[in-house]
Amino acid sequence: MRIRLCLAALSLVGGACAATVTAPAAAAAACTDIDVVAARGTFEPGTLGLIVGDPVYSALQRKITGRSLSSYKVNYPADLSPTSAAQGNADLVNHVNSQAAACPNQRFVLVGYSQGANVVDNSIGISSAGAVVGSPIVATIPAALEPRVAAVLLFGNPIRAIGKSVTGTYQSRTIDFCAKGDPVCEAGGNDTLAHLGYTANADAAAAFAAGKV
């Protein structure tokens, strides 16, 4: 695993982004029962994300039986550029809109780790502006599609370090893991390695989601 995943991010405080970010048109995938939309962390390798996305998707496949699952890796830089999270925000919303139109009965599980949690936060209407590798909101999942978001699974969520959390419409469907001492999500945290340990929470997150779908 790459320690630089959060070491570089810790030195960056996300600021306001004036750029307009748009995502390319998304092609709908197969109409499974549940589409798992995962936004990886900064510089995180892996298909959906080595630390969170991949193990969470595997755990969801074990926990959610009798229904078909698909996955989507949010297409964004996941780097330290000032518009990175905004690009992910636009792509996630674009994907959900496209899938929802093509697959009227499909539901969604949103997964976000580190910067990817900022992406998910923005997409459900909670701004990550001012958080580490955050950005202002550029797109939100439409209210008409909100009931089709079954669960929101967040890990090392940077907005928590600035005193924010998911509230309102999605609160009861959200589980938000912040490891003790993780400086990305805990103000004053000083255990950098804690930010890399969220694979351990994959089963708990999947069990939570299974109870919501």
Side-chain angles (χ1 to χ4, degrees), residues 29-30 32-38 60 64 70-72 92-111 141-142 144-153 170 173 209 212-213:
T32 57
D33 295 322
I34 300 163
D35 190 35
V36 180
V37 183
L60 287 167
I64 300 175
S70 57
S71 65
Y72 177 76
L92 188 156
V93 173
N94 187 51
H95 173 76
V96 170
N97 284 336
S98 176
Q99 281 295 120
C103 307
N105 297 316
Q106 192 171 57
R107 300 184 74 196
F108 302 92
V109 172
L110 308 182
V111 181
I141 294 170
L145 299 183
E146 169 268 314
R148 292 172 62 179
V149 177
V152 178
L153 313 178
Y170 292 93
R173 283 171 274 168
K212 299 296 184 181
V213 299

Side-chain angles (χ1 to χ4, degrees), residues 185-206:
C185 59
E186 181 184 293
N190 59 8
D191 184 0
T192 299
L193 291 178
H195 192 62
L196 304 178
Y198 290 104
T199 301
N201 301 113
D203 280 350

Side-chain angles (χ1 to χ4, degrees), residues 71-141:
S71 65
Y72 177 76
K73 178 180 180 177
V74 174
N75 182 16
Y76 85 115
D79 61 17
L80 300 178
S81 61
T83 64
S84 177
Q87 290 179 64
N89 174 194
D91 184 72
L92 188 156
V93 173
N94 187 51
H95 173 76
V96 170
N97 284 336
S98 176
Q99 281 295 120
C103 307
N105 297 316
Q106 192 171 57
R107 300 184 74 196
F108 302 92
V109 172
L110 308 182
V111 181
Y113 166 50
S114 195
Q115 183 175 173
N118 286 337
V119 169
V120 174
D121 292 332
N122 282 9
S123 300
I124 61 174
I126 310 294
S127 176
S128 66
V132 170
V133 288
S135 81
I137 294 170
V138 297
T140 54
I141 294 170

